[in-house]
Amino acid sequence: MDVVELSRLQFAVTSMFHFIFVPLTLGLVLLVAWMETRYVRTGNEMYKRMTQFWGKLFLINFALGIVTGITLEFQFGMNWAEYSRYVGDIFGAPLAIEATVAFFLESVFIGIWAFGWDKVSKKVHLLCIWVVAIASSLSALWILLANGWMQNPVGYVLRNGRAEMVDFGAMFTNPYGVWKFYHTVVSCYTVGAFFVMGISAWHLLRGRQLEFFRTSFRMGAYFGLVTIALSLLTGDYQAEVVARYQPAKLAAMEAHWETGTNAGIHLLAWPDAEQERNVVEAAYVPGVLSYLAYRDFNAEVIGLNDIPREDRPPILPVFLSFRAMVGFGSLMVLVSVLAAFFAWRGTLEKQRLFLRLLIYFIPIPYLTIQLGWLVAEVGRQPWIVYGVMRTSEGVSTAISSTQVAVSLIAFTLLYSALGFIDIYLLIKFARKGPEEGPAAQPILKEA
Amino acid sequence: MELQIIWFVLWGVLWAVYFMLDGFVLGAGMLMNFIARNDAEKRVVINTFGPVWDGNEVWLVTAGGATFAAFPTTYALMFSYLYSALLILLFALIIRGVSFEFRGKMDGLGWKKGWDIAILVCSFLPALLFGVAFGNIFGGLAMDASGYHGSFIALLNPYGLLTGLLFVGLFLQHGALYLSVKTTGELKERAQRMAKMLWPIVLLIAVVFLAATAKFTLLYDNYYAHPALWAVPLLTALELIVVRIMLGRAKLLKAFAASCVTILLVFATALVGLFPNLIPSSLDTAASLTIYNSSSSPYTLGLMTMVALVFVPIVIAYKIWAYRIFREPVTVEEVTADDHAY
């Protein structure tokens, strides 16, 4: 493999690993903030114990999200120096703003929250977790606006041999970035919802601290129902944006080869990039693709065969990832509805099979959002900046394939070890559960 | 004032503040195993910076982001030329961060011992490598119009290593002073003694560094051209002396504050000499990266100046508030009463 391929693989490994921890941070923090709000409002000690139990899991997860984030910022310069030089004038700004405006808030206030139970008033303590919640989503906004610019470059001119920013407002309101933010962030929230539901289910099955976990579950279930609905809605809008700005990605997502009006989708298909057609196709539903993309059953949708071969993304991975994402997403809708229904009816503990299923369902939202990320980023290929710069042109010239191969292996080993330890600790503390009864020591205190 | 000059100053401030803040965490991390005699004391050490360390590390992220946004060419070349060194640095920072979080999460002697070693090594390496990297930047990187001709091994030249040693020494002293402020009893006394022992060593390294700088870099050229600038290194030396005086009078908070200022001024001394270069070339001055030939457009610099002017003061305000909340020293009793997250 050459420097480009190795660097792409390394970016994939490091960003996808980072994207294991960040989504739980984003979703779980909102639930923890909600729990603490109920504690401050009602004075009920159970909500305090809930805040501390889920907060502890939140912190174990948070640490890895923070430390693996630095890698990503460094990597643009380390592996993608030509890209950084070419687009830094416009791409660097959102990253620097993210650090200044959001990341500082997040990491200073999480410190006060984690260590400040006895040092600040109840209300200030509550405020801290809300600041962390808002700041972490704000952080995602800036990162995804930066990513949105790679997907749909706006507000720049090519001048002095590089892309220079001329309109910050255009970047800030870039429809691609804005919709990608909405879809990504609400999808990340679902990870937190299913995480809380799954762990609560484990304890409910064992009849432990029923009131505690029933309440946790209910909060997770309602939160999950709202967020999965929003994920569906924003995903639908995002598909429209993709159709408008990245026809090649849309065509690859749906394995759509021939340009035509009233375009449909095959429920069953297997695209072959070499033969430039689907080798398997069945169950055709006409008009659906036209409607999804342009809200008009008769709209024309460009097919892959009208896009030059060298401008097409890898079709099979994008197609399969998209199908799998939609499939798992639909499953999540179903499970969410059931969970919310059982929680609302109060018949949760009777649904033992369902509870058992929920434990094994914890990884599904993780997998689903990773698939979404693959669709977005593999679907952007062969461009590093869509239509402006090819990925192969962005790589550093000063590094060798040996250097990147070594760093890729080192990252993989280190991250695997850390991921393993982190998951082990999460399981350990999730199983241990909260301390019994309101008189017991709060969880954070026994660390 | 030109936007490039504003950003040169801001760039320097971000790096200097990062070193001032993470410097004591790196220093305390290096010292932990030597100053703390048992597990409770080690936890005291970790808990002294527990609430603030990741907020401190964000200064590094911001310094990196600011380099990217304001001087993209410098960011691109600096990070790709120093690939291997930065990789080791990244790994060390990652492992150090999770060590604080993971160490207390399981019992078992091997588990804790392992993380103790990780904290030691992964606090030492960043201190050393940041110094090596900046030493090489001060001296100039082997680059010309055709690219970079250096290697990781070549970075480990005497001047690079000397700068690394200076960073390690400064951070050790800084960490010892921080611990002397933030702990009590025997731990405090040991930290105090450690700071006293380190001071002459830091002084010695600093003197050798200043002499070597004349031989290996062109940093003094600006000083010869504008002799008034000598005030900066002079103040730095004075500040270092203030550290010792305050330490002698057992005014530890003042000694620590003086150490903060010393670190800021060491960086200021270097940057005054570096100006207007960001990364000089050791092969061909025409290939040097300056604040003019590697900066962003006036539009971007103007925008980023607004962002910095509005938000950096806010950040500083709530950071000071956070430090005030945790201003009390951490005690063994407090930690063993299971009152902390680490």
Side-chain angles (χ1 to χ4, degrees):
Chain A
M1 281 201 282
D2 60 16
V3 177
V4 179
E5 284 170 336
L6 287 165
S7 293
R8 278 188 63 198
L9 199 54
Q10 180 169 303
F11 209 95
V13 166
T14 52
S15 57
M16 290 176 93
F17 187 78
H18 181 62
F19 201 52
I20 293 174
F21 302 97
V22 170
L24 184 62
T25 297
L26 287 167
L28 194 52
V29 71
L30 280 167
L31 279 162
V32 171
W34 184 15
M35 290 164 186
E36 191 168 354
T37 305
R38 294 182 85 171
Y39 166 61
V40 172
R41 282 200 160 169
T42 63
N44 183 343
E45 286 290 316
M46 183 183 72
Y47 290 120
K48 185 179 186 185
R49 291 191 301 126
M50 273 169 68
T51 307
Q52 295 185 327
F53 170 70
W54 297 107
K56 176 152 199 163
L57 299 180
F58 171 80
L59 289 173
I60 294 174
N61 173 77
F62 185 79
L64 265 184
I66 292 286
V67 292
T68 53
I70 309 172
T71 307
L72 297 181
E73 195 204 47
F74 277 32
Q75 250 185 152
F76 287 113
M78 288 167 71
N79 292 68
W80 304 97
E82 291 305 309
Y83 165 78
S84 301
R85 179 148 70 165
Y86 193 70
V87 306
D89 194 80
I90 183 160
F91 185 81
L95 295 191
I97 295 175
E98 186 266 344
T100 319
V101 174
F103 198 19
F104 266 125
L105 269 181
E106 196 180 347
S107 43
V108 171
F109 281 82
I110 196 66
I112 303 174
W113 186 79
F115 289 81
W117 281 96
D118 306 323
K119 305 219 188 257
V120 293
S121 74
K122 260 189 192 178
K123 283 196 174 144
V124 171
H125 196 260
L126 176 65
L127 179 74
C128 288
I129 194 73
W130 279 107
V131 170
V132 175
I134 292 163
S136 51
S137 285
L138 197 62
S139 174
L141 170 67
W142 289 106
I143 297 302
L144 291 166
L145 283 176
N147 178 273
W149 189 83
M150 299 167 81
Q151 305 280 358
N152 176 42
V154 289
Y156 72 101
V157 290
L158 294 179
R159 191 164 55 195
N160 302 324
R162 63 181 181 181
E164 293 193 346
M165 187 180 350
V166 287
D167 187 354
F168 176 70
M171 179 191 223
F172 190 68
T173 56
N174 180 0
Y176 203 108
V178 170
W179 281 105
K180 189 164 182 181
F181 163 69
Y182 288 143
H183 184 52
T184 307
V185 84
V186 294
S187 305
C188 289
Y189 294 163
T190 67
V191 173
F194 280 91
F195 182 83
V196 169
M197 282 194 275
I199 291 168
S200 300
W202 191 86
H203 288 281
L204 287 172
L205 279 169
R206 280 155 188 79
R208 285 194 198 150
Q209 308 230 20
L210 286 178
E211 187 53 32
F212 183 101
F213 284 109
R214 218 180 276 141
T215 312
S216 298
F217 188 99
R218 201 180 310 124
M219 293 173 81
Y222 294 162
F223 184 64
L225 192 64
V226 172
T227 52
I228 191 74
L230 288 174
S231 174
L232 213 64
L233 196 73
T234 52
D236 182 47
Y237 274 101
Q238 214 201 332
E240 253 187 275
V241 176
V242 171
R244 206 177 330 152
Y245 298 109
Q246 298 183 326
K249 185 190 276 178
L250 182 79
M253 280 156 64
E254 299 290 7
H256 176 64
W257 292 96
E258 301 301 333
T259 304
T261 54
N262 193 25
I265 53 170
H266 293 94
L267 292 182
L268 213 65
W270 191 270
D272 186 323
E274 279 308 305
Q275 298 182 43
E276 304 193 299
R277 65 186 184 89
N278 294 333
V279 284
V280 176
E281 321 185 298
Y284 187 70
V285 189
V288 176
L289 183 54
S290 293
Y291 182 78
L292 283 178
Y294 299 103
R295 297 292 181 262
D296 171 5
F297 285 102
N298 289 314
E300 185 181 75
V301 180
I302 297 170
L304 284 163
N305 282 338
D306 280 324
I307 292 158
R309 249 176 185 244
E310 69 274 14
D311 293 347
R312 292 179 200 163
I315 293 149
L316 191 61
V318 174
F319 169 77
L320 288 178
S321 302
F322 181 66
R323 282 280 157 113
M325 177 188 81
V326 172
F328 284 128
S330 311
L331 202 60
M332 284 164 63
V333 174
L334 185 72
V335 173
S336 276
V337 170
L338 284 175
F341 178 73
F342 292 140
W344 172 63
R345 289 297 297 269
T347 57
L348 205 55
E349 282 112 286
K350 293 192 197 118
Q351 311 295 336
R352 300 192 69 82
L353 191 67
F354 183 68
L355 288 179
R356 203 161 302 144
L357 170 88
L358 276 175
I359 301 169
Y360 296 102
F361 210 78
I362 293 176
I364 300 293
Y366 282 103
L367 187 64
T368 313
I369 57 170
Q370 295 279 0
L371 288 165
W373 196 247
L374 279 176
V375 174
E377 307 312 314
V378 178
R380 170 171 44 83
Q381 304 302 327
W383 306 100
I384 194 163
V385 181
Y386 201 77
V388 174
M389 185 183 211
R390 280 174 195 275
T391 306
S392 55
E393 298 166 328
V395 81
S396 303
T397 51
I399 54 174
S400 69
S401 53
T402 322
Q403 258 178 316
V404 187
V406 170
S407 63
L408 172 61
I409 293 167
F411 268 120
T412 309
L413 291 177
L414 175 72
Y415 278 10
S416 305
L418 294 182
F420 178 80
I421 297 170
D422 199 72
I423 290 167
Y424 178 85
L425 289 175
L426 279 175
I427 293 174
K428 180 188 155 183
F429 284 99
R431 281 190 171 169
K432 201 170 149 212
E435 299 293 325
E436 297 279 344
Q441 285 285 308
I443 281 297
L444 272 173
K445 298 198 169 184
E446 49 89 47
Chain B
M1 201 168 22
E2 276 175 89
L3 287 167
Q4 277 97 341
I5 297 179
I6 293 178
W7 272 94
F8 180 77
V9 174
L10 271 169
W11 182 79
V13 167
L14 288 172
W15 279 105
V17 172
Y18 167 67
F19 288 128
M20 175 183 90
L21 293 176
D22 206 16
F24 68 72
V25 181
L26 291 166
M30 285 188 269
L31 290 171
M32 183 184 80
N33 290 290
F34 304 105
I35 282 189
R37 300 245 163 98
N38 53 42
D39 184 51
E41 289 187 349
K42 283 179 187 170
R43 285 178 52 200
V44 168
V45 170
I46 296 174
N47 278 294
T48 59
F49 52 72
V52 295
W53 75 267
D54 60 2
N56 292 352
E57 205 169 271
V58 179
W59 287 90
L60 172 64
V61 178
T62 309
T67 315
F68 200 171
F71 305 109
T73 308
T74 296
Y75 166 79
L77 298 187
M78 177 173 161
F79 279 62
S80 61
Y81 288 178
L82 304 178
Y83 190 91
S84 301
L86 284 175
L87 194 73
I88 300 171
L89 208 138
L90 259 178
F91 279 24
L93 288 176
I94 289 171
I95 295 172
R96 179 187 69 140
V98 298
S99 299
F100 302 148
E101 188 64 40
F102 288 170
R103 186 185 179 279
K105 293 286 184 293
M106 289 219 300
D107 289 321
L109 218 58
W111 173 265
K112 287 195 167 164
K113 210 166 233 171
W115 291 116
D116 287 348
I117 294 169
I119 289 172
L120 171 66
V121 175
C122 295
S123 298
F124 170 73
L125 280 178
L128 181 78
L129 287 176
F130 273 124
V132 168
F134 274 99
N136 278 280
I137 288 171
F138 300 156
L141 292 179
M143 59 187 187
D144 58 22
S146 70
Y148 181 55
H149 305 287
S151 68
F152 178 59
I153 300 300
L155 294 179
L156 303 175
N157 53 61
Y159 184 72
L161 287 172
L162 180 64
T163 317
L165 211 60
L166 179 71
F167 274 48
V168 171
L170 279 170
F171 293 170
L172 277 172
Q173 174 182 272
H174 199 44
L177 288 168
Y178 179 76
L179 289 177
S180 75
V181 173
K182 288 284 291 176
T183 59
T184 56
E186 268 188 63
L187 206 52
K188 185 190 188 79
E189 279 166 30
R190 269 179 246 144
Q192 224 172 318
R193 272 203 301 279
M194 183 65 86
K196 276 185 193 154
M197 196 193 83
L198 285 165
W199 191 83
I201 303 175
V202 172
L203 182 70
L204 180 72
I205 301 172
V207 170
V208 177
F209 172 79
L210 286 174
T213 298
K215 182 167 158 45
F216 291 103
T217 77
L218 301 172
L219 292 190
Y220 290 137
D221 286 4
N222 281 343
Y223 290 97
Y224 293 130
H226 307 277
L229 292 172
W230 286 108
V232 181
L234 208 66
L235 270 176
T236 315
L238 276 176
E239 248 348 286
L240 189 59
I241 293 166
V242 172
V243 170
R244 186 64 187 85
I245 293 172
M246 291 302 161
L247 196 53
R249 293 185 190 164
K251 298 225 185 293
L252 298 172
L253 189 60
K254 284 187 178 159
F256 175 68
S259 174
C260 287
V261 179
T262 307
I263 290 179
L264 294 179
L265 285 174
V266 165
F267 221 70
T269 303
L271 288 200
V272 165
L274 204 58
F275 183 87
N277 288 314
L278 287 163
I279 306 183
S281 163
S282 61
L283 303 177
D284 172 11
T285 46
S288 293
L289 293 170
T290 70
I291 60 170
Y292 300 108
N293 71 14
S294 81
S295 79
S296 281
S297 61
Y299 181 90
T300 300
L301 289 177
L303 171 80
M304 294 311 297
T305 308
M306 303 267 281
V307 171
L309 287 182
V310 173
F311 286 98
V312 172
I314 298 176
V315 170
I316 292 173
Y318 64 68
K319 281 206 75 133
I320 290 174
W321 179 60
Y323 274 93
R324 281 188 55 82
I325 291 172
F326 298 103
R327 65 185 175 278
E328 294 298 321
V330 179
T331 63
V332 174
E333 292 74 32
E334 211 181 335
V335 174
T336 42
D338 294 336
D339 213 353
H340 283 268
Y342 290 140

